[in-house]
Amino acid sequence: MSAPRRPTDPSGLERYYVLTKGRSGPGGSASSLDVATLIASRAAPVPGMQHEHEEILRRCRDPLSVAELGAHLGLPFNILAVLLTDLLEAGRIEARDPIPVHDAGRGPDLALLEEVLSGLQRL
């Protein structure tokens, strides 16, 4: 007689629960994350680290947005945000706003736009 098969979770929710150790959302330093936030590694993966944490560190050697990272890893935002919180609190990654706050209200550089327009007109 074969052992009864355990039903699988097609939604992936069981996997997400295990990945996040039961946490449902980010807290603390990651509460300000959004899909445009850039993530950059500050350290290399170490042996024994959770696979998803290793992947984040590897992929973010060059800054990636949270949206791009989620697409690469196939993880929803709230699950990824929990994993990023772990790495932020450990000092293994850095989160940056895509547009520095001091430049956000200034708008585009008009001189640069005029040079681009002039160059296009010469073509």
Side-chain angles (χ1 to χ4, degrees), residues 33-45:
L33 288 176
D34 66 18
V35 293
T37 301
L38 296 175
I39 305 296
S41 297
R42 297 180 77 195

Side-chain angles (χ1 to χ4, degrees), residues 11-56:
S11 69
L13 294 177
E14 186 176 294
R15 174 178 172 253
Y16 298 152
Y17 184 84
V18 171
L19 287 179
T20 63
K21 298 176 178 74
R23 295 170 289 164
S24 61
S29 57
S31 59
S32 64
L33 288 176
D34 66 18
V35 293
T37 301
L38 296 175
I39 305 296
S41 297
R42 297 180 77 195
V46 294
M49 184 177 269
Q50 184 175 335
H51 172 72
E52 288 75 15
H53 288 150
E54 288 179 13
E55 260 321 288
I56 291 168

Side-chain angles (χ1 to χ4, degrees), residues 56-102:
I56 291 168
L57 292 176
R58 276 192 206 98
R59 290 185 182 271
C60 292
R61 288 182 182 132
D62 293 321
L64 275 180
S65 72
V66 173
E68 291 173 299
L69 191 55
H72 286 300
L73 299 176
L75 294 172
F77 175 79
N78 62 327
I79 302 302
L80 181 58
V82 171
L83 298 174
L84 293 173
T85 298
D86 296 341
L87 293 170
L88 278 167
E89 289 175 355
R92 298 185 105 21
I93 61 169
E94 176 182 350
R96 304 181 207 154
D97 289 328
I99 300 173
V101 174
H102 62 278

